[in-house]
Amino acid sequence: MVRQSLLADEVKANIAACMPEFTRLVDGKMAIHARDGVVRLTGIVASRTEKTSVCNAAWDTAGVRWVVDELSLG
């Protein structure tokens, strides 16, 4: 299992690989928290497509057991 201290970084890297615009998304608008295999996504994304892409990338990360989607459309 991925060490919990690294899980949020792994999720960020996976999202960045799937979404070139990731840097713009994260720039003060979105946060990724991970603990015990549970990833919580908070903040604002621009569209449903972005929201779906972020959530799917989080689910596709090794060590993730559950994703809590608290993203809002902005």
Side-chain angles (χ1 to χ4, degrees), residues 9-66:
D9 291 335
E10 292 289 329
V11 171
K12 289 176 189 175
N14 207 26
I15 293 170
C18 297
M19 303 177 66
E21 69 277 12
F22 177 69
T23 304
R24 177 186 58 78
L25 284 174
V26 172
D27 189 22
K29 295 181 181 178
M30 189 173 79
I32 300 168
H33 305 279
R35 183 179 173 127
D36 298 328
V38 177
V39 173
R40 185 169 45 105
L41 305 170
T42 59
I44 300 170
V45 293
S47 68
R48 286 197 182 279
T49 302
E50 285 183 355
K51 183 174 181 167
T52 299
S53 296
V54 168
C55 290
N56 287 343
W59 273 112
D60 289 342
T61 304
V64 172
R65 295 184 304 114
W66 194 256

